């Protein structure tokens, strides 16, 4: 009778087979993940980087103009020679193309630093109406902390040490050299509106036509637009809306007043 040896399994090889199988699976998963990342990156549109950046706020360290919404070709400037900065220099309005750039906090809260000398910040002394440039490290921290609109948005600039006051253009007069001040946030709101943006070359376009009367009110809008020839890559963002009462018999025949407001949004010219 033929001797048949029983079939046996080489149990000593199982651990090696299991290790090889796990290594293969991990390598496959890594390659698939890398491929997915590459595909996503290749499908991104480089042209929308500017709008994404404006929507998300700028990285800390990117310079910006801070423009006055009613006359957006007027911006903040530290009064004095451009070659030097010292404590106590006033913050004034100036033509944007000759104004200062500032380093703005990407979160919308923090120090507003002078771009040409980052040791200096906007300073709002407590209990006073003045605004000035001061060494960041030499001022009380609460004097150099501000909340402000993120880039591309319209809004007020408020010092952290006084909740009820905002940066104000007195009388709305943005003539070159006009000194800015701290003032009641509920007074003349149109004088307190600013926009943070990368370019100095924006002005208001003409108003659109009035809308039809609805609920005894009508409105019109206008946007910023690039102004003149510039070497800058100009993109303008602010928009403004004006609302008035309808002068019709059904609405009483008289105007219910006028309310011009800056839209808190990003409008691209």
């Amino acid at each position: 009778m033929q001797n048949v040896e029983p079939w046996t399994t080489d149990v000593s090889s199982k651990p090696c087979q299991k290790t090889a199988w796990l290594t293969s699976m991990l390598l496959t998963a890594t390659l698939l993940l890398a491929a997915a990342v590459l595909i996503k990156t290749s499908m991104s549109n480089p042209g929308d980087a500017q709008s994404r950046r404006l929507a998300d706020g700028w990285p800390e360290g990117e310079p910006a103009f801070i423009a006055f919404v009613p006359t957006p070709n007027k911006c903040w400037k530290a009064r004095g020679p451009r070659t030097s900065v010292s404590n106590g220099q006033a913050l004034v309005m100036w033509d944007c193309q000759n104004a200062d750039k500032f380093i703005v906090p990407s979160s919308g809260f923090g120090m507003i630093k002078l771009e040409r000398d980052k040791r200096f910040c906007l300073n709002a002394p407590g209990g006073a109406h003045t605004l000035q440039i001061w060494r960041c490290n030499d001022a009380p921290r609460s004097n150099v902390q501000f909340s402000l609109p993120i880039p591309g948005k319209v809004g007020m600039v408020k010092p952290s040490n006084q909740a009820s006051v905002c940066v104000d253009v007195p009388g709305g007069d943005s003539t070159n050299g006009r000194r800015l001040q701290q003032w009641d946030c509920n007074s003349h709101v149109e004088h307190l509106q600013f926009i943070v943006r990368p370019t100095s070359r924006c002005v208001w376009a003409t108003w659109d036509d009035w809308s039809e009367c609805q609920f005894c009110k009508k409105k019109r809008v206008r946007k910023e637009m690039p102004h003149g020839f510039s070497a800058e890559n100009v993109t303008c963002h602010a928009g403004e809306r004006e609302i008035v009462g309808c002068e019709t018999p059904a609405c009483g025949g008289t105007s219910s007043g006028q309310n011009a407001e800056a839209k808190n949004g990003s409008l691209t010219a």
Side-chain angles (χ1 to χ4, degrees):
M1 186 174 65
Q2 184 178 2
N3 292 327
V4 179
E5 294 184 357
W7 180 80
T8 59
T9 302
D10 184 3
V11 295
S12 64
S13 65
K14 283 188 176 182
C16 293
Q17 293 174 352
K18 186 175 182 180
T19 300
W21 179 81
L22 287 173
T23 301
S24 175
M25 292 298 292
L26 286 172
L27 180 60
T28 301
T30 301
L31 291 173
L32 288 173
L33 180 61
V37 170
L38 287 172
I39 291 171
K40 180 177 179 61
T41 302
S42 66
M43 293 178 66
S44 297
N45 179 10
D48 68 358
Q50 172 80 348
S51 59
R52 288 201 311 271
R53 181 181 67 180
L54 288 167
D56 298 338
W58 288 355
E60 192 75 31
E62 183 153 357
F65 292 96
I66 302 179
F68 185 41
V69 168
T71 51
N73 58 323
K74 297 288 186 174
C75 295
W76 291 9
K77 181 181 187 300
R79 188 168 63 190
R82 295 193 63 84
T83 54
S84 64
V85 186
S86 59
N87 284 346
Q89 287 183 229
L91 183 70
V92 300
M93 298 304 303
W94 210 267
D95 295 331
C96 290
Q97 59 265 36
N98 295 314
D100 279 305
K101 286 188 175 184
F102 291 83
I103 306 300
V104 296
S106 59
S107 64
F109 181 81
M111 295 181 181
I112 302 174
K113 298 181 180 180
L114 192 61
E115 188 264 344
R116 56 188 164 100
D117 192 334
K118 301 177 184 64
R119 297 172 300 170
F120 288 85
C121 293
L122 179 61
N123 175 281
H129 292 300
T130 57
L131 285 165
Q132 59 191 2
I133 302 300
W134 208 267
R135 278 184 177 266
C136 307
N137 295 332
D138 293 346
R141 191 167 183 81
S142 61
N143 286 11
V144 293
Q145 296 276 358
F146 292 83
S147 62
L148 70 163
I150 65 171
K153 302 290 185 179
V154 167
M156 299 178 182
V157 181
K158 300 181 180 182
S160 65
N161 57 1
Q162 298 185 79
S164 62
V165 303
C166 295
V167 176
D168 170 77
V169 178
D173 179 8
S174 59
T175 303
N176 284 354
R178 182 62 161 166
R179 186 165 183 165
L180 284 82
Q181 64 179 3
Q182 303 179 64
W183 204 254
D184 181 3
C185 293
N186 296 315
S187 176
H188 303 292
V189 174
E190 67 276 14
H191 300 165
L192 312 171
Q193 300 289 327
F194 297 94
I195 181 169
V196 180
R197 62 161 189 237
T199 178
S200 67
R201 305 290 291 178
C202 292
V203 295
W204 285 121
T206 56
W207 287 101
D208 290 347
D209 293 335
W210 287 105
S211 67
E212 296 294 327
C213 185
Q214 293 184 331
F215 304 106
C216 291
K217 292 183 179 181
K218 59 183 179 179
K219 66 179 180 180
R220 62 180 182 173
V221 298
R222 63 178 178 174
K223 301 177 182 179
E224 281 188 327
M225 62 179 291
H227 172 61
F229 174 80
S230 174
E232 297 173 281
N233 182 18
V234 178
T235 304
C236 303
H237 305 280
E240 190 176 42
R241 177 175 58 197
E242 187 178 34
I243 302 173
V244 299
C246 300
E247 297 181 357
T248 63
C251 297
T254 59
S255 174
S256 61
Q258 178 174 309
N259 176 28
E261 60 182 34
K263 292 183 69 177
N264 187 12
S266 176
L267 297 175
T268 303

